[in-house]
Amino acid sequence: SDFILGVVVKVDTERGTVALRHTAIAHLYLPAATTTFRYFHPSDVARIKIGDSVRFRADRFDGGLRLLSILPTGQSTGR
């Protein structure tokens, strides 16, 4: 699937989740919104911080939303 554009809103390392404000995600039937995704490994989010613009891939696993990959775009909103 294609990369989705978003901005990091929150990273919760205790829960293993990241909240992303994103554009619409057609294959997940999600409108543009802020959505919380689970990630597999702490290294997945080690290079991102709140306010970073990112490109990411996500899908549904076991009834939940999972982050498959995430890359900073090199831009930040400055927060």
Side-chain angles (χ1 to χ4, degrees):
S1 65
D2 290 333
F3 275 104
I4 303 144
L5 296 176
V7 174
V8 179
V9 174
K10 181 180 179 184
V11 179
D12 188 331
T13 53
E14 284 187 19
R15 287 201 167 98
T17 61
V18 59
L20 300 168
R21 189 171 70 240
H22 57 79
T23 57
I25 307 173
H27 74 281
L28 297 177
Y29 305 102
L30 292 173
T34 298
T35 305
T36 299
F37 299 89
R38 287 201 157 282
Y39 57 85
F40 288 104
H41 304 289
S43 60
D44 293 344
V45 296
R47 298 190 340 228
I48 62 166
K49 62 185 185 305
I50 292 169
D52 281 356
S53 292
V54 294
R55 296 183 308 148
F56 68 99
R57 287 188 168 108
D59 215 333
R60 290 190 196 276
F61 285 96
D62 299 327
L65 294 167
R66 287 283 178 128
L67 192 67
L68 303 179
S69 63
I70 187 164
L71 296 167
T73 62
Q75 299 174 341
S76 174
T77 60
R79 276 187 53 197

